[in-house]
Amino acid sequence: MINVSQEEKWMLYALKEAKKAFEIDEVPIGAIIVNQDKIIGRGFNQVEGLNDATAHAEIIAITSAENTSEDWRLNGCSIYVTKEPCIMCFGAIINARIEKIYYGMNDPDKGFRTIQDKANLITPHLNYTKGNILELESKKIIQKFFKKKR
Protein backbone atom coordinates (compact mmCIF):
# COMPACT_ATOMS: atom_id res chain seq x y z
CA MET A 1 0.00 0.00 0.00
CA ILE A 2 1.22 3.49 -0.86
CA ASN A 3 1.91 5.74 2.08
CA VAL A 4 0.41 9.22 1.58
CA SER A 5 0.82 12.22 3.82
CA GLN A 6 -2.14 13.88 5.52
CA GLU A 7 -1.82 16.79 3.07
CA GLU A 8 -1.90 14.42 0.09
CA LYS A 9 -4.90 12.59 1.54
CA TRP A 10 -6.92 15.81 1.63
CA MET A 11 -5.64 16.98 -1.76
CA LEU A 12 -6.96 13.75 -3.28
CA TYR A 13 -10.44 14.85 -2.19
CA ALA A 14 -9.89 18.26 -3.82
CA LEU A 15 -8.85 16.43 -7.00
CA LYS A 16 -12.14 14.50 -6.90
CA GLU A 17 -13.92 17.85 -6.92
CA ALA A 18 -11.77 19.00 -9.86
CA LYS A 19 -12.84 15.88 -11.77
CA LYS A 20 -16.48 16.88 -11.27
CA ALA A 21 -15.71 20.21 -12.95
CA PHE A 22 -13.91 18.42 -15.78
CA GLU A 23 -16.93 16.18 -16.38
CA ILE A 24 -19.22 19.18 -16.91
CA ASP A 25 -16.72 21.03 -19.14
CA GLU A 26 -15.56 23.54 -16.51
CA VAL A 27 -11.93 24.40 -15.81
CA PRO A 28 -11.07 21.52 -13.47
CA ILE A 29 -10.24 23.11 -10.16
CA GLY A 30 -11.51 21.63 -6.93
CA ALA A 31 -11.41 22.65 -3.29
CA ILE A 32 -12.29 21.25 0.11
CA ILE A 33 -12.32 22.78 3.56
CA VAL A 34 -11.26 20.72 6.54
CA ASN A 35 -11.91 21.33 10.22
CA GLN A 36 -10.91 18.94 13.00
CA ASP A 37 -9.98 16.20 10.52
CA LYS A 38 -13.37 16.36 8.78
CA ILE A 39 -14.42 17.81 5.41
CA ILE A 40 -16.99 20.54 6.06
CA GLY A 41 -17.06 22.15 2.62
CA ARG A 42 -16.55 21.13 -1.00
CA GLY A 43 -16.55 22.98 -4.27
CA PHE A 44 -15.54 22.86 -7.90
CA ASN A 45 -15.49 25.48 -10.62
CA GLN A 46 -18.95 26.31 -11.96
CA VAL A 47 -18.26 29.64 -13.68
CA GLU A 48 -19.65 28.62 -17.08
CA GLY A 49 -22.65 26.65 -15.86
CA LEU A 50 -23.79 29.33 -13.44
CA ASN A 51 -22.72 32.28 -15.64
CA ASP A 52 -21.02 33.65 -12.55
CA ALA A 53 -17.44 34.94 -12.58
CA THR A 54 -17.24 34.35 -8.82
CA ALA A 55 -18.26 30.66 -8.93
CA HIS A 56 -14.72 29.46 -8.31
CA ALA A 57 -14.10 26.22 -6.44
CA GLU A 58 -12.81 28.06 -3.37
CA ILE A 59 -15.83 30.37 -3.12
CA ILE A 60 -18.26 27.47 -3.43
CA ALA A 61 -16.30 25.45 -0.84
CA ILE A 62 -16.31 28.41 1.56
CA THR A 63 -20.08 28.84 1.20
CA SER A 64 -20.56 25.12 1.74
CA ALA A 65 -18.39 25.14 4.87
CA GLU A 66 -20.14 28.20 6.27
CA ASN A 67 -23.50 26.50 5.78
CA THR A 68 -22.23 23.32 7.44
CA SER A 69 -20.79 25.15 10.43
CA GLU A 70 -23.61 27.72 10.52
CA ASP A 71 -20.99 30.44 10.90
CA TRP A 72 -19.15 32.59 8.38
CA ARG A 73 -16.06 32.47 10.57
CA LEU A 74 -14.07 29.40 9.59
CA ASN A 75 -11.52 29.67 12.39
CA GLY A 76 -9.31 26.62 12.69
CA CYS A 77 -10.06 25.49 9.12
CA SER A 78 -7.74 24.60 6.26
CA ILE A 79 -8.51 24.84 2.55
CA TYR A 80 -7.08 22.44 -0.02
CA VAL A 81 -7.21 23.64 -3.63
CA THR A 82 -5.84 21.95 -6.74
CA LYS A 83 -4.49 25.27 -8.08
CA GLU A 84 -3.08 28.28 -6.28
CA PRO A 85 -6.05 30.54 -5.43
CA CYS A 86 -6.54 33.72 -7.42
CA ILE A 87 -6.58 37.09 -5.71
CA MET A 88 -10.40 37.10 -5.43
CA CYS A 89 -10.43 33.70 -3.75
CA PHE A 90 -7.52 34.65 -1.52
CA GLY A 91 -9.57 37.61 -0.30
CA ALA A 92 -12.51 35.33 0.44
CA ILE A 93 -10.22 32.90 2.29
CA ILE A 94 -8.87 35.76 4.41
CA ASN A 95 -12.36 37.16 5.08
CA ALA A 96 -13.64 33.72 6.11
CA ARG A 97 -10.75 33.49 8.60
CA ILE A 98 -9.39 30.25 7.19
CA GLU A 99 -6.04 29.59 8.81
CA LYS A 100 -4.18 27.40 6.32
CA ILE A 101 -4.00 27.16 2.53
CA TYR A 102 -2.69 24.07 0.76
CA TYR A 103 -2.62 23.97 -3.02
CA GLY A 104 -1.52 21.71 -5.83
CA MET A 105 -0.05 23.67 -8.71
CA ASN A 106 1.32 27.19 -8.77
CA ASP A 107 -0.28 29.96 -10.80
CA PRO A 108 2.55 32.43 -11.44
CA ASP A 109 0.29 34.76 -13.48
CA LYS A 110 -2.91 35.03 -11.42
CA GLY A 111 -2.15 33.34 -8.11
CA PHE A 112 -2.43 35.17 -4.81
CA ARG A 113 1.33 35.09 -4.22
CA THR A 114 1.82 37.55 -7.09
CA ILE A 115 0.26 40.29 -4.98
CA GLN A 116 0.92 38.96 -1.48
CA ASP A 117 4.68 39.00 -1.94
CA LYS A 118 4.69 42.49 -3.49
CA ALA A 119 2.32 44.06 -0.97
CA ASN A 120 3.60 42.31 2.17
CA LEU A 121 -0.02 41.70 3.08
CA ILE A 122 -0.79 41.23 6.73
CA THR A 123 -3.21 38.37 7.17
CA PRO A 124 -4.00 38.00 10.87
CA HIS A 125 -5.90 34.71 10.65
CA LEU A 126 -3.96 33.01 7.87
CA ASN A 127 -0.86 31.54 9.38
CA TYR A 128 0.31 28.91 6.89
CA THR A 129 0.45 28.26 3.17
CA LYS A 130 2.01 25.37 1.31
CA GLY A 131 2.04 24.59 -2.39
CA ASN A 132 3.06 21.80 -4.73
CA ILE A 133 0.99 19.10 -3.01
CA LEU A 134 0.21 16.48 -5.68
CA GLU A 135 1.29 19.14 -8.17
CA LEU A 136 1.70 16.68 -11.05
CA GLU A 137 -1.84 15.33 -10.63
CA SER A 138 -3.25 18.87 -10.48
CA LYS A 139 -1.36 19.87 -13.63
CA LYS A 140 -2.41 16.74 -15.52
CA ILE A 141 -6.13 17.36 -15.19
CA ILE A 142 -5.77 21.03 -16.25
CA GLN A 143 -3.60 20.07 -19.23
CA LYS A 144 -6.04 17.33 -20.24
CA PHE A 145 -8.90 19.84 -20.10
CA PHE A 146 -7.19 22.43 -22.32
CA LYS A 147 -5.91 19.78 -24.72
CA LYS A 148 -9.52 18.60 -25.14
CA LYS A 149 -10.60 22.20 -25.80
CA ARG A 150 -8.17 22.63 -28.69
Side-chain angles (χ1 to χ4, degrees):
M1 183 169 170
I2 297 172
N3 188 19
V4 296
S5 71
Q6 188 74 357
E7 296 162 353
E8 291 171 332
K9 170 189 145 183
W10 294 123
M11 191 61 72
L12 287 169
Y13 285 101
L15 282 162
K16 285 182 183 179
E17 294 299 310
K19 288 175 187 169
K20 291 176 186 177
F22 183 88
E23 290 169 4
I24 61 169
D25 207 29
E26 295 274 357
V27 176
I29 299 170
I32 64 161
I33 297 178
V34 176
N35 189 21
Q36 298 179 353
D37 210 31
K38 181 181 175 194
I39 296 173
I40 64 165
R42 301 171 189 266
F44 56 89
N45 267 4
Q46 297 182 54
V47 172
E48 300 297 331
L50 295 177
N51 289 315
D52 181 354
T54 67
H56 289 197
E58 299 93 326
I59 303 294
I60 293 169
I62 288 169
T63 301
S64 172
E66 290 168 340
N67 287 329
T68 298
S69 65
E70 297 180 343
D71 192 348
W72 64 269
R73 296 169 197 85
L74 298 176
N75 296 315
C77 292
S78 300
I79 187 166
Y80 291 79
V81 189
T82 58
K83 185 169 166 278
E84 179 183 346
C86 70
I87 295 165
M88 174 187 70
C89 292
F90 181 66
I93 290 165
I94 297 303
N95 286 332
R97 301 183 179 175
I98 291 172
E99 295 180 9
K100 297 178 182 178
I101 301 173
Y102 299 92
Y103 59 90
M105 62 181 281
N106 295 325
D107 185 348
D109 297 324
K110 297 178 186 168
F112 73 88
R113 291 177 307 128
T114 60
I115 193 166
Q116 183 187 33
D117 293 343
K118 291 175 188 168
N120 286 328
L121 292 177
I122 297 169
T123 53
H125 303 288
L126 180 67
N127 60 34
Y128 187 78
T129 63
K130 182 177 181 183
N132 304 319
I133 301 163
L134 299 181
E135 179 182 21
L136 182 60
E137 292 82 347
S138 297
K139 281 183 179 178
K140 279 183 180 178
I141 193 168
I142 294 268
Q143 289 170 342
K144 183 178 177 182
F145 174 80
F146 285 109
K147 187 176 182 180
K148 182 177 87 167
K149 286 293 199 188
R150 292 186 184 111

